[in-house]
Amino acid sequence: MAIRDIRKVGDPVLRMKAKEVKKITDKTKNLIQDMFDTMYDAPGAGLAAPQVGVSQQIIVIDVDGDSFELINPVIIEQRGTQIGEEGCLSIPGERYLVNRADWVKVKGLNAEGQVVEVIGEAMLARALQHEIDHLNGVLFTDKIYHKKE
Ligand code: NI
């Protein structure tokens, strides 16, 4: 296990589109373990591989003890909206309101290469959308919700 450095806003890797993982190797599994260690050390509710400088489509999540990794995650269904406060380990100290879907279904692979579907509501839905955005070079500060006057 190892805790990796978390890249901060301004680092170009956070703005790159992460590459699809074609083959899950021991190196991939080691990266996932390090991502969990880094997320728990921070601590945070989610982490995407670009945040540790690896431009690959991998996220880890832990919302209320529900923890899992997803490789090549894609949102295949979404419903509703929720406006809530969000932060990011790559943008320390800043929290803003962001409008997100309230319910998402995400498809991806686990570390064993099995296809998995995850359904998330409320906080879990928010975390999934936030981390998947990271894989597309999108930061939550791009999506700050402004109340209409
Ligand atoms: Ni983030």
Side-chain angles (χ1 to χ4, degrees):
M1 72 173 263
I3 292 158
R4 301 199 187 191
D5 284 340
I6 297 177
R7 303 301 180 92
K8 301 299 189 306
V9 63
D11 189 315
V13 73
L14 294 175
R15 290 304 191 178
M16 290 166 63
K17 180 152 174 56
K19 287 198 178 66
E20 188 181 344
V21 176
K22 304 275 191 201
K23 190 163 183 250
I24 298 165
T25 62
D26 285 348
K27 206 176 163 186
T28 315
K29 292 181 185 183
N30 187 52
L31 167 65
I32 290 168
Q33 191 53 57
D34 285 357
M35 287 171 63
F36 275 113
D37 295 339
T38 305
M39 174 179 71
Y40 288 128
D41 178 68
L47 194 71
Q51 292 183 275
V52 293
V54 180
S55 192
Q56 292 183 18
Q57 293 178 26
I58 304 172
I59 64 173
V60 297
I61 301 258
D62 187 319
V63 172
D64 297 330
D66 188 4
S67 73
F68 53 89
E69 73 281 1
L70 281 175
I71 298 168
N72 305 333
V74 179
I75 295 171
I76 54 171
E77 262 186 80
Q78 61 178 67
R79 289 179 211 147
T81 60
Q82 55 169 326
I83 295 159
E85 211 176 68
E86 225 166 274
C88 178
L89 295 175
S90 293
I91 312 175
E94 299 194 39
R95 295 188 70 82
Y96 301 105
L97 294 176
V98 181
N99 191 354
R100 300 281 191 188
D102 192 45
W103 182 100
V104 293
K105 187 192 276 187
V106 178
K107 192 174 181 178
L109 302 174
N110 64 19
E112 274 64 58
Q114 296 158 325
V115 176
V116 289
E117 282 189 2
V118 176
I119 287 174
E121 282 188 275
M123 262 308 292
L124 181 53
R126 179 174 296 282
L128 284 161
Q129 291 165 87
H130 178 115
E131 300 312 330
I132 291 170
D133 272 354
H134 273 299
L135 305 181
N136 293 305
V138 174
L139 299 174
F140 85 110
T141 44
D142 302 336
K143 296 187 160 180
I144 296 171
Y145 174 77
H146 297 283
K147 283 193 187 97
K148 292 193 179 73
E149 297 297 324

